[in-house]
Amino acid sequence: GIQVEQSPPDLILQEGANSTLRCNFSDSVNNLQWFHQNPWGQLINLFYIPSGTKQNGRLSATTVATERYSLLYISSSQTTDSGVYFCAVGLTGANSKLTFGKGITLSVRP
Amino acid sequence: DTGVSQDPRHKITKRGQNVTFRCDPISEHNRLYWYRQTLGQGPEFLTYFQNEAQLEKSRLLSDRFSAERPKGSFSTLEIQRTEQGDSAMYLCASSLGLGQRDAYGYTFGSGTRLTVV
């Protein structure tokens, strides 16, 4: 099946710093989503971004489908950004089920 | 729109008992998914419904697991003869889907945490 690799596995930031989270995947996809799982376990959809660039406040994401990677940018990080960030991809024509990476654990310190 | 609701939030059961979880998706979403997440891992796909039709089941879903979505609304996931290895967070998500190849963002529920003792 499709492989999804996220890096780095862990990230510690000082409040106010910027960061880039990376997701590499092994096959063509028509569905790529970024999620934030907060410390209470709730998964929040950040972006649906199979290709191109999107921005939402301090967060932005870029997917280069032809090169099989996606980047999530967090600017001016806040303590509430802490948690686990998951990249998840879906194969073309596969009923939109998602394969998740192992996640990136982000800790933002005050 | 109250989002995706899952019930119960927590379930502790003895090994060998049957358990059933419920998921109420966003009302206009025709696609519904069940995932399972264990500690330190990303969610793993279990099964998928488009309206009332169960279109795909993962090999993770053994014969002890069954899911239904009567009338294309809420869904239930039943685990029979629970084992300690079934302990996990069971997540439900829903999304729109108009054609076979289109895809839209997921909305996840808060999950049901199952502990088998």
Side-chain angles (χ1 to χ4, degrees), chain A:
Chain A
I2 192 168
Q3 304 297 313
V4 182
E5 294 185 359
Q6 294 187 244
S7 60
D10 300 282
L11 192 55
I12 300 174
L13 297 177
Q14 206 65 32
E15 197 169 27
N18 303 329
S19 62
T20 301
L21 285 60
R22 187 176 181 100
C23 172
N24 293 334
F25 45 94
S26 63
D27 209 333
S28 298
V29 299
N30 74 337
N31 190 346
L32 189 146
Q33 301 184 39
W34 283 96
F35 296 90
H36 175 219
Q37 190 164 42
N38 65 24
W40 297 271
Q42 177 71 52
L43 276 162
I44 304 297
N45 191 305
L46 299 176
F47 293 103
Y48 166 71
I49 186 165
S51 63
T53 297
K54 289 186 178 179
Q55 179 154 7
N56 184 2
R58 297 181 295 103
L59 303 182
S60 64
T62 295
T63 297
V64 184
T66 53
E67 296 186 21
R68 299 181 183 173
Y69 73 89
S70 183
L71 302 173
L72 177 69
Y73 305 97
I74 304 174
S75 64
S76 304
S77 57
Q78 300 176 357
T79 56
T80 51
D81 295 331
S82 298
V84 183
Y85 289 80
F86 288 104
C87 168
V89 302
L91 292 176
T92 301
N95 290 324
S96 78
K97 74 176 183 183
L98 295 177
T99 298
F100 282 72
K102 291 188 175 183
I104 296 169
T105 301
L106 173 65
S107 298
V108 180
R109 299 190 170 164

